[in-house]
Every structure is written in structure tokens, then in C-alpha cells.
Amino acid sequence: MLALALITLLLHGALLGLFYAFSMSVMPGLNAIDPAHAGAAMRSINRKILNPWLFLVFLGSPVAALVTGIVTGSVWFYAAAVVNGVGSFLVTGAINVPMNNALDAGTMPYQKYAPRWTRWNTIRAVACAVSLVLTGIGLTAL
């Protein structure tokens, strides 16, 4: 039970770190270079980030929280699963991925893409921070 809760905490922290790093360093760094180069770099990042490690963290966070909630009966883990599912999974699927696809297809210029994508990515980071805190509270309540 404790091991499962710690894995849940680790997954949420890793996902928060990913989103935080993009909003606080990757996107500002790309915004500091020529938009054509920034767009090309972001398209490359969007292709390379689709790997098993991302899927483990991205899909594993809400699932681990849900399973931990079931095993422990703790509402904190259920709450973390919901916040992560809505704030990370839903936002990603409904907003960030379609924007990535538009950038890749050339139907959205980088100058329009970057501020909107970063704003929604920051929302994902905040949701992950909240779900991390909820997971931490659940862990201390065990």
C-alpha cells in the first residue's frame, strides 16, 4: 500500500516537472529564437516526446492515483486522480494535442501557437501541482 502511494507520488511529480520545465524554460527558450526555427524545433520535440516514458507518466499518474484510492479508500487519491485526469489528460487531448497537430500540419504559425500552447501547458502544470499535493496529503494520511 505504501509502495503504491509512493509510486503515485513519483508519477505525479514527474509529470509536474515535465509541464513545468516546458512552461518555464523550453517555451521561453524557443520564443527567443527565430519563429521558423522555433516551430521546427517544437515539431521535432512533439514527435520525440511520444515515447513509452511519457506514456508511463502521463497515463500512469491518474491510473495510479485511482488504484491507490481504491486500495486505501482514501479520498485524497481519488481527488488527485480527478484533478490530474481533467487538468492534464483532458486539457492535453482537447487543446494541446490539436494545437501540436495544427503546428505540424502548418495550419497554425508558431507565433500564434506558442503563447496559447504555453498558457494551457501552464494550466496542466498547475493541475499536476494540485494533484501532487493531494497525493502527498493522501500519503501522509496513510
Side-chain angles (χ1 to χ4, degrees), residues 8-23:
T8 302
L9 186 73
L10 176 66
L11 290 170
H12 281 81
L15 191 57
L16 168 58
L18 174 70
F19 292 148
Y20 178 83
F22 263 89
S23 286

Side-chain angles (χ1 to χ4, degrees), residues 19 26 31 47 50 53 56:
F19 292 148
V26 174
N31 292 340
R47 289 182 191 116
L50 299 176
W53 293 109
L56 172 68

Side-chain angles (χ1 to χ4, degrees), residues 64-130:
L66 181 62
V67 170
T68 305
I70 291 168
V71 169
T72 64
S74 173
V75 69
W76 297 107
F77 292 103
Y78 288 120
V82 170
V83 170
N84 186 289
V86 172
S88 173
F89 190 80
L90 185 64
V91 168
T92 298
I95 297 168
N96 290 85
V97 168
M99 289 179 62
N100 292 346
N101 293 339
L103 181 70
D104 193 48
T107 58
M108 180 180 279
Y110 182 80
Q111 298 92 319
K112 183 178 175 188
Y113 168 90
R116 184 171 177 230
W117 190 94
T118 304
R119 184 171 41 256
W120 283 102
N121 184 70
T122 302
I123 290 168
R124 296 188 298 179
V126 169
C128 287
V130 171

